[in-house]
Amino acid sequence: MGMLSFLSGRSFPRGITPPGRKAQTRTEPIRRLSFAPRMVLPLTQHFGKPARPLVQRGQEVVRGEPIAEADGWHSVPLHAPVTGSVEGIELMPTARGPKTEAILLRTHPGDSQTVRWAQPQDLGALSRRQLLETIQAAGIVGQGGASFPSHLKFDVPEGRAVDTLVVNGCECEPYLSADHRTMIERTEDVLAGVRLGMQALGAPQAVIGVEDDKPDAIAALEGAIEPGEPIRVGILRAKYPQGSEKMLVRSLLGREVPSGGLPYEVGVVVNNVGTMAQLGYLLPRGEALIERIITVAGPGVERPGNYRVPVGTPLRYLLEEVGFEGDDPSRIILGGPMMGNTVAFLDVPVTKGVSGVLVMPEAAQAGEGREAQPKPCIRCGRCVEVCPVGLNPAELGRLAAKRQYEVMEERFHLNDCFECGCCSYVCPSDIPLVQYFRIAKALNRERAS
Amino acid sequence: MAPRIELKTSPHIKQADSVERIMRTVVLALLPVCAFSVYQFGLSALALMATTTLTCVLTEQLFNRLSGRPSTIGDFSAVITGLLLALTLPPAFPLWMAAVSAFVAIALGKALFGGLGYNPFNPALLGRAFAAAAFPEAASTWTQAGLPERFSELLPSTLAMPFMRPESVDAYTTATPLAEWKFEGGIATDTWALFTGMTPGSAGETSALLILVCGLFLIARNAMNWRVPVAVLGSAALTAGGFYLLDPGHFPSPLFVLFSGGLMLGAFFMASDMSSSPVTPAGIWIYGALIGFLAVIIRFFGGLPEGIMYAILLGNAAVPLIERIAQPRLYGLRRGRSG
Ligand code: SF4
Ligand code: SF4
């Protein structure tokens, strides 16, 4: 590995290079998905407090209108993705299993579904705080998967100067190409968002990290940056997990975020290109986040591609539209294959943080995803060679088997593991290392509380 | 009844590789070395390999039965132990002694600790050390390579009866190049002969070139950590080079040191045993360097002509200690604001 590094982009040490499997979708222009007859909008689609409903059963709403308000600063509002009527507010299943409150909308079939609700503002005249409030009012959350409210990300604690806005255009997860298409087709929106992000942070410069397997995206961005503008594209090696916040900061700037800390502690805030495109498109128009770009791919999908999907579209509807027949939820992954999870039911909606919907082949396909019995660790050291954080997964796995969870945390830095899955990916003994680490962390948390 | 909810957690893809494939690759890489040994030493070498391999596999199976574990012979690791053991023994080693040593290798070297992955020492070397202790004479009686009748008849000692000492057959025996240097004070073999391998020695320790090629194959197939041979050979060359510079009249050249005896085989196929070497890259550098250094020191100053076996066993023993100091560098310590 590493030996050819001078030929390609910069990178953090270690990590893995799984097959990209992006050919199915990377050249497909973004298409619009049709509007489902019924939309499901959970009040919690973000990291933080649930939104508070503003509508009642039977009420008519227009596309773009707020239907739930933020409950305080650590919350974001929700907007109607379609013109239609409120069917009710009910407990609905979520991707992870437990039911939560959601607003149900019936789509008006004959409606043209243009956005009918907008409050444009002169953004240049806003103070930093006012800009953050505008971002919150637009209901924007991180589009990369974590669903962290964007205004909170930009709300850096008093006295902490951020010198660089880092933008994540790596898309290092296999199969996904939504960010790739966004950078090519919505280059201006991305850059407008980056400029707004710099304004919100008071950051003097921005770097957009893109992997070297996306030369067209790199060219598009570089072509659209104004001469002399303090925004640059950082070319990075295509490698997983290049797009994780901490690795990205290391690869682009040579800085390392301290253990347990956040990027602003080294003067950086990291955002996804998808989020930047939303910011750059929505804010000047005074509109809100009601749809997003999603890669739908995987064996068994008849029309794979990148779709502009209204938030709240039921997964079952989406899968039917792309020509997938089958109803085994354990084959459907939300997000990428390295860090995404399968769903509990097909009757769950697409939410603001879903970057991909992948249909994985039936279990036990050749090589990938094989579900074998774990065997004893042969101490091959491969997991150690790939862990981007510099942990010793072999030792952690050995301790987990002996239930020495405290030792894992105290002596082997368990809490620095961000569950990227590289160790499990390479283990020839099929030891479910990450799964062990999740359990160990959960038990340690339980014990501490 | 509530429907069954099945959630699978990430990652959902896996590299297509397995313990079996790694071990099969090692066996494959050992086969040319074994074949060359048969070419050099004939039927006796073949019989020796068959005996040790069969005994290792049967012993592994026996212990699986005894402990009620599913069969593990499919992972080929017992085959590797058997072949490696044969390759370290003199070609004319009596078969019954070889069988006992092979049993010890698996029983004490592996099964006792819980099987593959748990053995702190390389099982083949443990078997070899046992052979040296239990059958000192047979374990250090070397045969000439390329005897004309090697394909038609077994060497007389091969079929020695159990618990009988084989009669010494001086007509066939000879000194290895290392023993020659050590006990007779001179190097009669030229380096090229050592490199290509037509010299006396244990069944598999003779052709440096072949071992190098097979080792590189293993590295290319990601079945061995390349750091192990690099560290062992590099450290051995540096140590030997240092002494050679001090007193070229007394010490052999580093090339002689690298290509003679079992250093190559040890570096590529023995020290690289995964279970008994460190898991961290930093640990492997230390471990390999220690082995290379000890191997040369034992050769130069110990009572034995060859030191690689004991050097590796000592290296194995040092692994827990090495791992205590050689953990990977944790992300999060570089704070620089420029880069
Ligand atoms: S899941 Fe954790 S331990 Fe495994 S490679 Fe990723 S960070 Fe390291
Ligand atoms: S990759 Fe698996 S078998 Fe290899 S050292 Fe790590 S845990 Fe052990």
Side-chain angles (χ1 to χ4, degrees), chain B residues 213-233:
Chain B
V213 170
C214 294
L216 291 179
F217 166 77
L218 271 190
I219 291 170
R221 298 291 298 268
N222 196 18
M224 185 213 307
N225 195 315
W226 58 272
R227 295 175 185 88
V228 176
V230 172
V232 173
L233 297 175

Side-chain angles (χ1 to χ4, degrees), chain A residues 246 255-256 337 342 370 382, chain B residues 17 222 329 331-332 334 336:
Chain A
K246 291 188 170 185
R255 302 177 197 173
E256 292 189 355
T342 60
R370 96 198 117 92
R382 291 185 185 179
Chain B
D17 202 356
N222 196 18
R329 192 195 73 99
Y331 174 101
R334 207 210 266 197

Side-chain angles (χ1 to χ4, degrees), chain A residues 376-383 394 423 426-429 431 433, chain B residues 279:
Chain A
C377 167
I378 56 166
R379 295 175 52 82
C380 66
R382 291 185 185 179
C383 52
C423 50
V426 295
C427 178
S429 285
I431 302 173
L433 294 162
Chain B
V279 277

Side-chain angles (χ1 to χ4, degrees), chain A residues 10 14 163 246 250 253-258 266-267 330 333 337-338 340-342 344-345 368-370 375 377-379 381-382 385 389-392 413 424-425 427-430 435 438, chain B residues 5-20 22 116-118 222 225 227 274-275 277-281 319 323 327-339:
Chain A
R10 308 172 59 166
R14 299 183 286 270
D163 60 42
K246 291 188 170 185
R250 164 73 206 259
L253 303 169
R255 302 177 197 173
E256 292 189 355
V257 182
V266 289
S330 73
I333 298 167
M338 288 303 297
N341 284 307
T342 60
F345 313 98
E368 292 193 12
R370 96 198 117 92
K375 288 175 281 297
C377 167
I378 56 166
R379 295 175 52 82
R382 291 185 185 179
E385 286 196 46
V389 184
L391 300 176
N392 184 338
H413 316 285
S424 294
Y425 177 82
C427 178
S429 285
D430 297 308
Q435 281 86 341
R438 288 195 190 106
Chain B
I5 299 176
E6 186 190 0
L7 284 179
K8 291 195 194 123
T9 50
S10 58
H12 304 278
I13 51 174
K14 252 190 88 65
Q15 195 168 52
D17 202 356
S18 65
V19 176
E20 293 78 35
I22 295 175
L116 178 62
Y118 299 106
N222 196 18
N225 195 315
R227 295 175 185 88
M274 292 166 175
S275 300
S277 54
V279 277
T280 66
V319 166
E323 287 198 338
Q327 289 296 321
R329 192 195 73 99
L330 194 67
Y331 174 101
L333 300 170
R334 207 210 266 197
R335 303 287 163 79
R337 283 232 163 180
S338 59

